[in-house]
Amino acid sequence: MTAVMTRHITVVTAVHAPSARFLPEAWASLRAQELPGGWEWRWVVQEDGRTDEVRPYVPDNPRVTFRQGRPGGPGVARTMALAHAHGTYVRILDADDQLTPGALARDLAALEADPALGWAVSRALDRLPDGSTAGFPGDPAEGPLDRGAVLAHWAAHDFLAQVHPATLCVRRELLLALGGWMALPASEDTGLLLALDAVSRGWFTAEPGLLYRKWEGQVTGQPAHVDPAERTARMAVVEARARALAGWRWPGADGS
């Protein structure tokens, strides 16, 4: 009999000391994932910094890789994690979030069914401090997202995308071609999402794929994140990059 080669999806998690305590819940949600036959996940946990506070929360498991590096924000940590990401796909899982049951399998089903799709996202639910969840208004219909659709919505709705970048699953070669995450103090994940939207079609899954934790220490809840001058500058760079990339088409979008 011919041996079946295992294919991999790498889950990448950026973590800093304040969010390390949530890693066991992220780990439990990952362990609960059931993948199609012939598929296996790997988890790369990259600390944004070098402290002694994160490693105790990282599981000792052969499918888990833990690395540390100079602090530079979550985008830098995720991009550094790509050095240890193997396989066809990369899925994002922030340290304080959790995957829902079946999330990875749904990502794989969408992307494997259509080689012209470069990336997939799904509905996200806020996980509130009391344990309840709340959805986002304005989710698109399940199905393909045409090139430029996310940018058009984002530009028309005060820089708010209709899909959540924390749910992103992307072809690794496309992620590398775009250079990973943007070198911004925030919105680096939105910057990547809009770049992907500029060069390839995506897919939206209506079933929730992520529980997005709301808590007092998250970076997006700090005053600096909504400083008007910085936000305007961040959005200008994000939009300029996306529009510049619109003239380039990912070769895989043609099914090649």
Side-chain angles (χ1 to χ4, degrees), residues 11 13 15 18-33 41 43 45 54 56-59 93-101 127-133 209-216:
V11 178
T13 296
V15 59
S19 61
R21 61 191 170 102
F22 299 121
L23 280 173
E25 292 179 75
W27 168 237
S29 76
L30 181 54
R31 283 188 297 121
Q33 298 296 305
W41 54 259
W43 195 25
V45 179
V54 174
Y57 293 97
V58 179
L93 175 61
D94 287 345
D96 49 359
D97 295 340
Q98 294 170 260
L99 297 171
T100 62
R127 181 183 175 185
L128 305 176
D130 65 2
S132 63
T133 60
L210 188 77
L211 298 181
Y212 182 81
R213 187 189 301 270
K214 293 287 191 177
W215 60 290
E216 71 284 353

Side-chain angles (χ1 to χ4, degrees), residues 156-177:
H157 293 81
D158 192 31
F159 309 131
L160 295 175
Q162 75 274 48
V163 296
H164 205 305
T167 68
L168 179 66
C169 184
V170 57
R171 295 186 190 275
R172 184 172 64 94
E173 64 174 21
L174 175 56
L175 177 59
L176 290 170

Side-chain angles (χ1 to χ4, degrees), residues 220-242:
T220 54
Q222 305 309 305
H225 186 71
V226 293
D227 173 77
E230 183 191 286
R231 183 173 185 263
T232 298
R234 290 199 319 263
M235 299 305 106
V237 175
V238 165
E239 182 170 4
R241 182 197 192 200

Side-chain angles (χ1 to χ4, degrees), residues 147 151 195 197-200 240-250:
R147 291 176 63 194
L151 173 60
D197 167 71
V199 302
S200 71
R241 182 197 192 200
R243 295 197 184 283
L245 282 168
W248 179 71
R249 186 179 180 87
W250 174 54

